[in-house]
Amino acid sequence: MTTMIRVSGLQKSFTLHNQGGASFEVLNGAQLEVQQGECVVLHGQSGAGKSTFLKALYANYSVDGGEILLRDGDEMLDLTQALPRRIINLRQHCLGYVSQFLRVIPRISTLDVVMQPLLDLGVDKAICEAKAKDLLSKLNVPERLWHLAPSTFSGGEQQRVNIARGFIVDYPILLLDEPTASLDATNRKVVVELINNAKARGAAIVGIFHDEDVREAVADRLVDIRAI
Amino acid sequence: MNNRVMSDASIMNTSAWQDLAPLLSVRDVNKYYAPGKGCGPVNFDLYPGEVMGIVGESGSGKSTLLSCLSARQTPDSGQIIYNSEQFGEMDLYAGDESERRVLMRSEWGIVHQHARDGLRMNVSAGANIGERLMAVGQRHYGDIRAKAEEWLEAVEIDANRIDDRPSQFSGGMQQRLQIARNLVTHPRLIFMDEPTGGLDVSVQARLLDLLRNLVSQLGLSVIIVTHDLAVARLLAHRLMVMRRGEVVESGLTDQVLDDPQHPYTQLLVSSILQN
Ligand SMILES: Nc1ncnc2c1ncn2[C@@H]1O[C@H](COP(=O)(O)OP(=O)(O)O)[C@@H](O)[C@H]1O
Ligand SMILES: Nc1ncnc2c1ncn2[C@@H]1O[C@H](COP(=O)(O)OP(=O)(O)O)[C@@H](O)[C@H]1O
Ligand SMILES: [Mg+2]
Ligand SMILES: [Mg+2]
């Protein structure tokens, strides 16, 4: 067994300086270990800190204390100590993150949005394009949309573009924050298949899923965010 | 985009990131005109392939800092070390003035907010680009003209506008010409001061798109000043937030914008519409 993620003693509070300096604690000593090929699903009520935990694992949020060790080849990198350029490098080849919302870039077509992360790794454009098309087809994004910028798409369409983008690189570690929130049963099944394929190739996954059926189909372990 | 002028994927994408020395090291740089007016103390290292954004409201000292960094304004104190291809490690303000001038037209590029500060308005677009090439010793007229055409197209300007003067161009085109003029000598480090300021929103989007592609395809290192956080999010790997001359927060771009720690950064982020 290879440990891919080892989190310990994670502390996180927010201070709202412009709202009277109110401060509140969201994570207090959280810990988690995830192995290669394992999918851990976080649960807990809305506002419990699930997304905060996942964002800390992506270094999108800073933390006040604790360690976040992520495997990059032979190295366990402590994300809380890493320089920006090291984090960007890690995100490019090692660490994927799919949120509920697509951050659209003006003027960029769906196909380009999806294949960009693979292109950035220096992979041949024809290969990137083929993989992007395959993912978009699987996720039932109609071909007529591929050359349009996704800014005008429906919520569900944008979400599927986002998922395709998140799965274009075979990241060893994947973080999924409600990627199925506005999808119908057919497309949820596609996402379940993508997740299970990623597990089969050895990806370590931490996810948050609203739907019981998705949870059942992908989770090896369910952990309560307040209990970790 | 024209492939002949583009090199391979950005340095940020290769695994060589860890072996590289900083391109620019900034140590305790200060420049104040009056208390709160100026910049400093500023400290950071910029690595090859990194794009650093400097953000903060108007008057916070961003342009002053950029002038110091790009050898146009002597700081009151502090040191700026640049790792030059031609001259090796050089202390910018301790060294030879002529070396600084060589840097500015070869290894560096400067994109000004107002195109008129970075272009010669009364000579043709082709001459604006060609001038930089001649400054680094190119003499063959045909080659220079061919390069100029290539770069006009790389910045999405029709090559048959080569003999037109910048004054006949729209604001967005002038800005793209300024970028072409800078990039033609394959600089390693580009300084930009509000490159999209004063342009219409749709023109801005096109320019940003172009900049994003050029920066990643050429593996450029960039220091970009902007008061527009959306521009910073799109282009910069890391940010420095300035207030009354001081750096109040710095770090990975999305961390600074999504989880701001300093009261001033929180105010700055909360006062823009979420995108
Ligand atoms: N960037 C932020 N700034 C301030 N408070 C935040 C921020 N992100 C999350 N929070 C707060 O942290 C708490 C946990 O939020 P979150 O992690 O999104 O919960 P969950 O995903 O479990 O619903 C909430 O009270 C939320 O408002
Ligand atoms: N040459 C100068 N002489 C005196 N004061 C200056 C000079 N240049 C800038 N300042 C002042 O220094 C402060 C910072 O200016 P600047 O660096 O242009 O800020 P920013 O680019 O963030 O808007 C401002 O208060 C400005 O008026
Ligand atoms: Mg959440
Ligand atoms: Mg300025």
Side-chain angles (χ1 to χ4, degrees), chain B:
Chain B
M1 191 108 2
N2 193 320
N3 279 323
R4 276 175 302 166
V5 292
M6 299 303 154
S7 68
D8 254 328
S10 137
I11 290 168
M12 291 299 287
N13 308 335
T14 73
S15 50
W17 66 272
Q18 47 205 328
D19 306 323
L20 299 167
L23 200 57
L24 199 70
S25 292
V26 180
R27 296 286 172 266
D28 285 320
V29 164
N30 282 283
K31 171 73 201 173
Y32 279 97
Y33 301 103
K37 294 185 190 304
C39 67
V42 176
N43 286 284
F44 69 89
D45 286 328
L46 185 81
Y47 286 84
E50 273 193 313
V51 179
M52 189 171 85
I54 302 175
V55 300
E57 66 195 357
S58 176
S60 57
K62 306 182 296 298
S63 295
T64 303
L65 175 59
L66 201 74
S67 307
C68 291
L69 299 178
S70 55
R72 290 173 296 156
Q73 167 92 276
T74 310
D76 303 335
S77 60
Q79 230 186 359
I80 300 165
I81 309 288
Y82 172 67
N83 196 342
S84 164
E85 226 166 11
Q86 307 160 72
F87 308 114
E89 234 178 54
M90 51 193 286
D91 183 337
L92 280 191
Y93 292 97
D96 186 340
E97 159 90 43
S98 68
E99 286 185 356
R100 287 209 293 272
R101 278 204 302 272
V102 173
L103 272 190
M104 287 210 202
R105 55 176 192 251
S106 55
E107 294 182 37
W108 288 5
I110 300 178
V111 177
H112 301 265
Q113 173 173 2
H114 302 291
R116 63 171 179 273
D117 296 330
L119 291 174
R120 293 220 287 138
M121 300 303 276
N122 55 351
V123 304
S124 71
N128 265 283
I129 300 177
E131 194 176 55
R132 272 273 293 203
L133 285 171
M134 292 195 290
V136 295
Q138 298 205 20
R139 290 288 172 266
H140 189 279
Y141 177 78
D143 287 351
I144 290 173
R145 195 168 167 92
K147 270 259 174 63
E149 281 178 357
E150 210 171 282
W151 272 98
L152 283 174
E153 277 173 358
V155 298
E156 303 171 12
I157 297 175
D158 200 332
N160 67 25
R161 303 290 305 263
I162 192 166
D163 295 317
D164 292 353
R165 291 174 183 197
S167 52
Q168 293 166 270
F169 288 179
S170 68
M173 279 169 78
Q174 288 179 3
Q175 224 40 339
R176 296 202 300 276
L177 178 62
Q178 205 191 163
I179 290 163
R181 172 180 161 100
N182 274 285
L183 293 184
V184 68
T185 52
H186 293 278
R188 313 154 77 205
L189 177 57
I190 310 275
F191 300 94
M192 301 189 193
D193 196 346
E194 310 269 8
T196 62
L199 299 175
D200 291 341
V201 175
S202 63
V203 178
Q204 268 189 31
R206 181 176 182 189
L207 186 68
L208 277 175
D209 192 14
L210 179 79
L211 279 176
R212 221 170 46 90
N213 283 326
L214 287 170
V215 164
S216 90
Q217 287 171 24
L218 300 172
L220 296 173
S221 308
V222 180
I223 300 183
I224 178 172
V225 161
T226 178
H227 68 275
D228 186 337
L229 297 185
V231 169
R233 190 189 282 276
L234 211 57
L235 291 178
H237 296 127
R238 49 193 279 226
L239 289 186
M240 223 161 71
V241 183
M242 291 184 64
R243 176 178 178 251
R244 284 143 120 266
E246 287 177 43
V247 177
V248 296
E249 187 162 354
S250 64
L252 194 65
T253 297
D254 61 273
Q255 202 177 90
V256 170
L257 296 180
D258 294 338
D259 187 17
Q261 302 294 309
H262 191 276
Y264 177 70
T265 318
Q266 289 188 359
L267 194 65
L268 212 59
V269 169
S270 68
S271 55
I272 56 154
L273 295 171
Q274 288 303 312
N275 57 330

Side-chain angles (χ1 to χ4, degrees), chain A residues 14 16 24 26 45-53 61 208, chain B residues 258-259:
Chain A
F14 291 104
L16 309 174
F24 57 96
V26 178
Q45 333 176 300
S46 168
K50 304 181 294 298
S51 296
T52 299
F53 185 80
Y61 281 5
I208 304 167
Chain B
D258 294 338
D259 187 17

Side-chain angles (χ1 to χ4, degrees), chain A residues 112-188:
Chain A
D112 287 338
V113 165
V114 172
M115 66 183 178
Q116 192 65 53
L118 196 56
L119 268 179
D120 284 348
L121 290 177
V123 175
D124 188 69
K125 184 160 180 183
I127 295 172
C128 298
E129 197 167 314
K131 194 164 179 191
K133 286 177 172 171
D134 179 54
L135 279 164
L136 288 167
S137 309
K138 273 202 183 107
L139 286 157
N140 303 300
V141 177
E143 207 173 325
R144 66 183 163 79
L145 299 182
W146 294 359
H147 294 282
L148 304 179
S151 45
T152 58
F153 295 3
S154 73
E157 284 163 352
Q158 288 196 4
Q159 195 164 36
R160 282 177 280 147
V161 172
N162 206 25
I163 293 165
R165 179 178 161 94
F167 280 86
I168 191 98
V169 172
D170 290 336
Y171 299 106
I173 301 173
L174 253 182
L175 310 172
L176 307 172
D177 193 343
E178 307 206 33
T180 54
S182 46
L183 300 187
D184 57 27
T186 313
N187 284 311
R188 284 208 299 276

Side-chain angles (χ1 to χ4, degrees), chain A residues 3-24:
Chain A
T3 303
M4 298 298 288
I5 301 173
R6 182 179 290 135
V7 178
S8 60
L10 213 58
Q11 305 274 352
K12 176 67 178 169
S13 16
F14 291 104
T15 305
L16 309 174
H17 290 288
N18 301 300
Q19 292 175 53
S23 187
F24 57 96

